[in-house]
Amino acid sequence: MAGIWLLTWLIVLTLIYHRVPLLVFTIALSLLLIALVKLVGVTAGTVLTALLLIGILIPLNITSLRYRYLSQRFLTIYRNVMPSISRTEREALAAGTVTWEADLFRGNPSWKKLLALPTSQLSMEEEAFINGPVEQLCRMINDWDITHNRLDLPPEVWQLLKEQGFFGLNIPKYYGGKEFSAFAQSQILTKVSGLSVAAFTTVAVPNSLGPGELLVHYGTEDQKKYYLPRLARGEEVPCFALTSPEAGSDAGAMTDHGIVCWGEIDGKKVLGIKLNWNKRYITLAPIATVIGLAFKLYDPEHLFGKKEDIGITCALIPRNTPGVVIGRRHFPLNAPFQNGPIHGRDVFIRLDWIIGGAEKAGKGWGMLMECLAAGRGISLPASAIGGTKVASYTCGAYAHIRRQFHQPVGNFEGIEEVLGRIGGYTFLIDAARRFVVGSIDQGEKPAVASAIVKYHTTELARKLGCDAMDIHGGKGICLGPNNYLGRGYESAPIAITVEGANILTRNMIIFGQGAVRCHPYVFAEMEAARMQDDTVAVTLFDRALFKHIGFALSNVVRSFTLALCSGLLVIPPKSKARRYYQQATRFCSSFALLADVAMLTLGGNLKRKESLSARLGDILSYLYLLSAMLKHWHEQGEKIDDYPLVKYAGDFCLYQIQESFSDFLRNYPNRAIALLMRVLIFPLGRHFNKPKDKLNHKISQLLMQPTATRDRLSQGAFLTTIPTNNLFNVQDALVKTIAAEPVEKILKTALKEGKITGYTTLERAKSALDRGVISNELHDTFIQAYEARYKVIAVDDFDNEELTNRKNAPFYANLFGTK
């Protein structure tokens, strides 16, 4: 009899595990009950099962009873506990679309679906542009000249950017732009960002959140026809003014405002807007000819409509409009891209200067969030990978050619650990970047995914910047024309602060927005609760609620079961990385369970428990990054040489997921629920660890040699073989050093045996040549390696006059208020 009941429970749990609908579950349980009565007769167990059917399950299938006695009451309770949401929060929640992150939130992602998603490819036109104008731009960039001498791009670079259409990458061809894919834009920015933050920012901003993007999606046809061709040709330089001293991330606190009123333009009385604003941190502002402005619009005299507080609005304002004050500069961390404040006092504009015309008044925040959802996924991840590609390419080579204690510094385990991290993180960042731009190219506006990728790519890149400096030591900290790391290291915090500050993004946006938009039922429940028609509200709420209950029960079973079997019940794709697919599915179920429990028990307080929300966001983020990495490796043909990078990234993500779960439960205010969740999620304890030392060694060896893996990691960086390219010089030194290593062994042996003499390396090589120990050819190989290596490890030095930089004295005097 015990075996029969065990089998019965297994069938019931299997039905719950697979999330069968309520009606199917009821029918299945009824059939089980009939079978049980025939097999074991009437027992306490069969009676309880019958009571469950008659008292609960069958009534739940009668919608009229369910609506009246359950759903209506639950809806009332839900409305009372639902957290208040501001207007800007509602618009942000509604903005954009959800992609793979929603599949993760469901707890049972389809890996077949993931791997079938289209792979981003460059068109012939896009590839020609990267190999032509972008290559030309990279050859022209001298970042030391830009950052130390000019504090601006040279005139010839500005001319190239305008003439070749760099400011119209996302503008449709119909209006004179390039209409490039998101992937192409990302590839362009990746290549430029590894060379110069100033050049990268100058190209990125007009093609990201700004007038061009807003006009393409929301502008009137007249606005598009006038502005877009001019923007594409570089005749107009745009900026977008959003941030003000009182309102950074909190747009609701914006004090910049416009009043609908009558005014005069060209001697005619017109209905328009009188604007006053004070903006700062506005990229391209000092040289902008047209300003995109975000402000709060009010209509106290109801000249425009019935509402007084119309809401955040976006408008286009020419630079020469009376009352506009523009031209001064900020100086962000020695990255002298054009950035500065903008002020406006009693600036009167026409209503048709509103982007999209008067009908778009008050809809600016939603417009901005829609555009940010896409733009944030292109620009900043590209800046992150541009820098880390340079780091992965140069750090391994430098660790090979730099000698200490008579051996390459890369042979020391401390350096191996850092190189392992550089390789693993770079692989992960590139995977995430490609994944999110791929979804953008499929027409998505991935609000949550772009926040995940922006936050984690810039944070990982910031860590790698420190790692790269550790390996290079004094070479990295001494600025000059031959320093290929210093300026990027200096400017790393810039990416952390823009397009959603990283602390805000992690603590409030990723899970705060993800819980509503990505959860399969929460958004539907919230929308139903806001409806005025109670009949429709109850119907929609009921539909979402009972699916939600089934979803939650399923996740209880799935989380515990998959934890007990370490995910082995999951059928993964055929791959060497199959265990990562299985463990990811396990943690997806646990995440879905924990998110539901947190929202149920904390309710609106979860919004204020920012650290708890951040940890839930971390779990979702690392599941997304792990998925992106697996897809990236699949797209590259699952090359076995790259598996150490896959393993590093996979182990890193699983460890971070595990620790985020643990930290969440350790800090959860309800200790009983925390203990129960720990049993369901980690019934056998925590077993995931950080990447091992042996893995760091494997990756370091891949980076310290000119391997195919190293080439794939750095693909897309500016590696052209010209003497002015520092990365070429590093590669040249690596190749020549490896070629000379057999000669070094000969010299070392000859010195021990007393066959040669000399105090320095060069003296010993000359002695070996003179005494016939090595040939002229081997001597030349050794000398070439020595010279190439010394060229790379050398650091720049200056006399006082060069550092004083007389050309920029007026700028510095004006900037700091000195003479």
Side-chain angles (χ1 to χ4, degrees):
M1 185 180 292
I4 293 173
W5 279 107
L6 178 61
L7 179 61
T8 301
W9 272 106
L10 285 175
I11 293 172
V12 170
L13 292 175
T14 300
L15 292 171
I16 296 173
Y17 180 95
H18 288 289
R19 299 174 181 170
V20 299
L22 176 61
L23 180 59
V24 174
F25 183 80
T26 304
I27 293 171
L29 195 59
S30 300
L31 295 174
L32 274 174
L33 178 60
I34 294 170
L36 281 171
V37 171
K38 286 186 176 182
L39 290 171
V40 301
V42 178
T43 65
T46 56
V47 171
L48 286 173
T49 305
L51 290 174
L52 174 65
L53 275 167
I54 297 169
I56 299 178
L57 293 179
I58 292 176
L60 285 178
N61 282 279
I62 304 172
T63 54
S64 58
L65 291 176
R66 200 170 70 211
Y67 287 0
R68 182 176 180 182
Y69 294 104
L70 291 176
S71 299
Q72 207 161 34
R73 296 180 182 182
F74 282 143
L75 177 58
T76 301
I77 295 171
Y78 189 88
R79 282 171 169 167
N80 290 331
V81 301
M82 188 170 66
S84 60
I85 299 177
S86 68
R87 179 177 176 180
T88 54
E89 285 178 309
R90 284 198 304 272
E91 291 175 345
L93 286 173
T97 59
V98 293
T99 55
W100 178 249
E101 66 277 14
D103 293 71
L104 297 172
F105 224 117
R106 291 180 180 274
N108 61 342
S110 168
W111 301 112
K112 184 177 180 181
K113 173 185 173 181
L114 173 72
L115 299 183
L117 292 173
T119 302
S120 295
Q121 299 285 345
L122 294 174
S123 68
M124 292 180 63
E125 181 185 4
E126 291 167 343
E127 194 165 355
F129 187 82
I130 292 173
N131 293 333
V134 177
E135 177 74 13
Q136 183 182 358
L137 170 63
C138 291
R139 289 170 179 261
M140 294 171 67
I141 289 174
N142 180 336
D143 199 47
W144 176 250
D145 183 49
I146 291 169
T147 58
H148 183 70
N149 297 326
R150 298 177 181 275
L151 301 183
D152 192 7
L153 302 180
E156 59 271 20
V157 170
W158 278 109
Q159 184 178 356
L160 176 74
L161 294 177
K162 293 177 179 181
E163 290 180 351
Q164 294 297 330
F166 277 85
F167 296 150
L169 300 179
N170 62 343
I171 293 175
K173 292 181 179 179
Y174 178 79
Y175 298 104
K178 299 292 184 184
E179 201 174 348
F180 281 169
S181 64
F183 180 61
Q185 293 177 57
S186 179
Q187 289 293 90
I188 292 166
L189 295 174
T190 294
K191 193 165 188 173
V192 176
S193 68
L195 289 174
S196 169
V197 173
F200 160 82
T201 307
T202 303
V203 175
V205 168
N207 294 289
S208 183
L209 179 62
E213 182 80 0
L214 290 167
L215 283 169
V216 168
H217 293 288
Y218 307 107
T220 66
E221 192 57 33
D222 286 344
Q223 289 172 341
K224 291 178 181 180
K225 286 181 177 179
Y226 179 77
Y227 277 113
L228 290 180
R230 297 167 68 85
L231 290 170
R233 293 193 299 267
E235 293 176 17
E236 298 277 8
V237 177
C239 71
F240 192 83
L242 176 60
T243 305
S244 59
E246 298 296 330
S249 301
D250 180 12
M254 187 185 298
T255 57
D256 311 295
H257 64 278
I259 306 295
V260 179
C261 61
W262 291 99
E264 189 175 291
I265 294 180
D266 297 331
K268 296 180 180 179
K269 183 180 180 181
V270 296
L271 185 63
I273 304 169
K274 182 180 288 187
L275 290 163
N276 284 276
W277 75 82
N278 178 19
K279 302 286 190 180
R280 63 180 182 180
Y281 311 146
I282 312 305
T283 299
L284 296 183
I287 60 168
T289 61
V290 60
I291 303 158
L293 182 72
F295 59 94
K296 285 185 175 179
L297 182 60
Y298 300 97
D299 185 13
E301 298 181 35
H302 302 287
L303 300 173
F304 186 63
K306 295 181 179 179
K307 292 174 64 176
E308 179 176 343
D309 184 355
I310 297 175
I312 295 176
T313 302
C314 299
L316 289 175
I317 304 170
R319 178 191 183 103
N320 58 5
T321 305
V324 174
V325 179
I326 188 172
R328 292 183 63 80
R329 292 179 66 178
H330 299 311
F331 194 37
L333 291 175
N334 280 328
F337 55 88
Q338 296 288 335
N339 184 281
I342 303 179
H343 310 282
R345 183 169 180 80
D346 294 337
V347 179
F348 185 76
I349 68 170
R350 298 176 181 271
L351 284 175
D352 60 9
W353 287 10
I354 294 174
I355 297 177
E359 66 180 55
K360 292 294 184 183
K363 298 179 181 178
W365 189 243
M367 293 158 55
L368 290 172
M369 291 298 98
E370 288 275 350
C371 291
L372 181 62
R376 180 170 53 194
I378 298 173
S379 56
L380 293 171
S383 75
I385 194 60
T388 56
K389 281 181 180 291
V390 169
S392 66
Y393 193 75
T394 58
C395 287
Y398 193 82
H400 193 130
I401 65 178
R402 183 74 170 108
R403 305 296 174 86
Q404 292 289 282
F405 306 104
H406 308 295
Q407 61 179 314
V409 297
N411 289 350
F412 295 98
E413 288 192 352
I415 300 297
E416 286 185 342
E417 179 183 354
V418 176
L419 286 175
R421 188 160 54 238
I422 289 173
Y425 283 9
T426 300
F427 190 74
L428 192 59
I429 293 170
D430 204 15
R433 172 188 72 100
R434 287 171 176 266
F435 193 28
V436 75
V437 297
S439 65
I440 295 170
D441 280 332
Q442 295 306 306
E444 302 287 354
K445 294 183 178 180
V448 178
S450 66
I452 289 172
V453 174
K454 183 268 178 181
Y455 172 79
H456 285 279
T457 57
T458 55
E459 286 293 337
L460 292 175
R462 176 160 62 169
K463 293 174 184 176
L464 290 195
C466 294
D467 285 341
M469 295 296 278
D470 281 348
I471 289 176
H472 282 74
K475 167 72 177 179
I477 66 171
C478 292
L479 293 175
N482 295 307
N483 187 320
Y484 41 82
L485 294 176
R487 292 305 195 195
Y489 172 82
E490 276 185 315
S491 61
I494 297 174
I496 304 301
T497 65
V498 298
E499 294 189 8
N502 275 13
I503 291 176
L504 169 81
T505 301
R506 176 176 179 260
N507 284 46
M508 299 179 70
I509 294 178
I510 294 175
F511 184 77
Q513 190 171 3
V516 176
R517 293 303 307 276
C518 300
H519 193 288
Y521 306 113
V522 166
F523 192 64
E525 291 166 347
M526 293 178 65
E527 290 295 294
R530 290 196 184 97
M531 289 185 173
Q532 300 299 317
D533 188 330
D534 280 350
T535 302
V536 177
V538 169
T539 301
L540 295 177
F541 185 77
D542 171 89
R543 188 181 302 162
L545 175 65
F546 282 91
K547 287 182 179 179
H548 192 163
I549 292 172
F551 173 76
L553 291 173
S554 169
N555 286 324
V556 172
V557 175
R558 291 177 60 85
S559 178
F560 187 69
T561 303
L562 292 176
L564 281 177
C565 71
S566 191
L568 290 172
L569 286 178
V570 177
I571 302 175
K574 292 181 180 179
S575 170
K576 185 176 175 63
R578 60 188 179 278
R579 290 295 289 146
Y580 293 110
Y581 290 102
Q582 292 175 323
Q583 297 292 4
T585 300
R586 167 204 169 176
F587 278 136
C588 282
S589 295
S590 297
F591 169 69
L593 169 64
L594 192 60
D596 269 338
V597 169
M599 288 188 284
L600 177 64
T601 57
L602 293 178
N605 286 328
L606 182 57
K607 179 181 176 181
R608 291 176 285 277
K609 296 284 186 181
E610 295 171 17
S611 294
L612 291 179
S613 178
R615 293 179 183 111
L616 288 172
D618 288 343
I619 298 169
L620 177 60
S621 296
Y622 284 111
L623 285 169
Y624 185 91
L625 295 178
L626 178 58
S627 303
M629 182 274 293
L630 291 170
K631 177 170 172 56
H632 181 51
W633 191 50
H634 175 77
E635 289 177 346
Q636 289 192 329
E638 298 201 355
K639 294 180 171 57
I640 197 65
D641 290 350
D642 295 350
Y643 188 70
L645 300 175
V646 173
K647 185 167 177 55
Y648 189 104
D651 290 352
F652 168 73
C653 287
L654 289 177
Y655 177 77
Q656 293 298 326
I657 291 167
Q658 171 188 268
E659 294 307 295
S660 297
F661 270 118
S662 183
D663 288 345
F664 179 92
L665 295 174
R666 189 180 299 117
N667 290 278
Y668 200 70
N670 189 318
R671 300 312 303 152
I673 290 177
L675 178 60
L676 176 61
M677 289 298 101
R678 192 173 288 277
V679 170
L680 291 174
I681 297 171
F682 298 114
L684 302 178
R686 292 178 290 147
H687 301 291
F688 295 100
N689 298 298
K690 295 178 180 179
K692 295 181 179 179
D693 294 345
K694 288 183 179 180
L695 189 56
N696 290 327
H697 174 74
K698 289 180 180 179
I699 294 174
S700 67
Q701 294 304 304
L702 290 172
L703 297 186
M704 289 171 61
Q705 302 286 335
T707 62
T709 295
R710 178 170 171 266
D711 290 342
R712 282 188 288 271
L713 269 185
S714 58
Q715 188 176 23
F718 179 62
L719 305 177
T720 303
T721 55
I722 55 175
T724 55
N725 185 358
N726 286 322
L727 270 63
F728 163 69
N729 293 329
V730 171
Q731 176 71 0
D732 181 60
L734 174 64
V735 172
K736 289 176 177 176
T737 296
I738 293 172
E741 283 173 351
V743 184
E744 291 179 354
K745 290 181 180 179
I746 294 173
L747 296 180
K748 185 177 181 181
T749 301
L751 183 64
K752 283 184 178 181
E753 295 175 353
K755 294 180 179 179
I756 60 174
T757 60
Y759 296 108
T760 67
T761 302
L762 292 178
E763 288 175 353
R764 293 165 189 165
K766 181 65 167 60
S767 175
L769 177 64
D770 293 342
R771 300 184 182 188
V773 175
I774 59 174
S775 65
N776 284 324
E777 183 180 356
L778 291 180
H779 182 264
D780 290 343
T781 298
F782 180 82
I783 294 301
Q784 289 173 14
Y786 179 88
E787 291 174 349
R789 185 166 59 233
Y790 190 82
K791 182 178 181 180
V792 170
I793 66 174
V795 297
D796 296 288
D797 53 67
F798 310 90
D799 60 33
N800 285 332
E801 184 67 21
E802 289 175 297
L803 288 179
T804 302
N805 195 8
R806 297 294 184 186
K807 287 192 292 184
N808 283 327
F811 172 80
Y812 284 113
N814 186 44
L815 187 68
F816 298 109
T818 59
K819 294 183 179 180

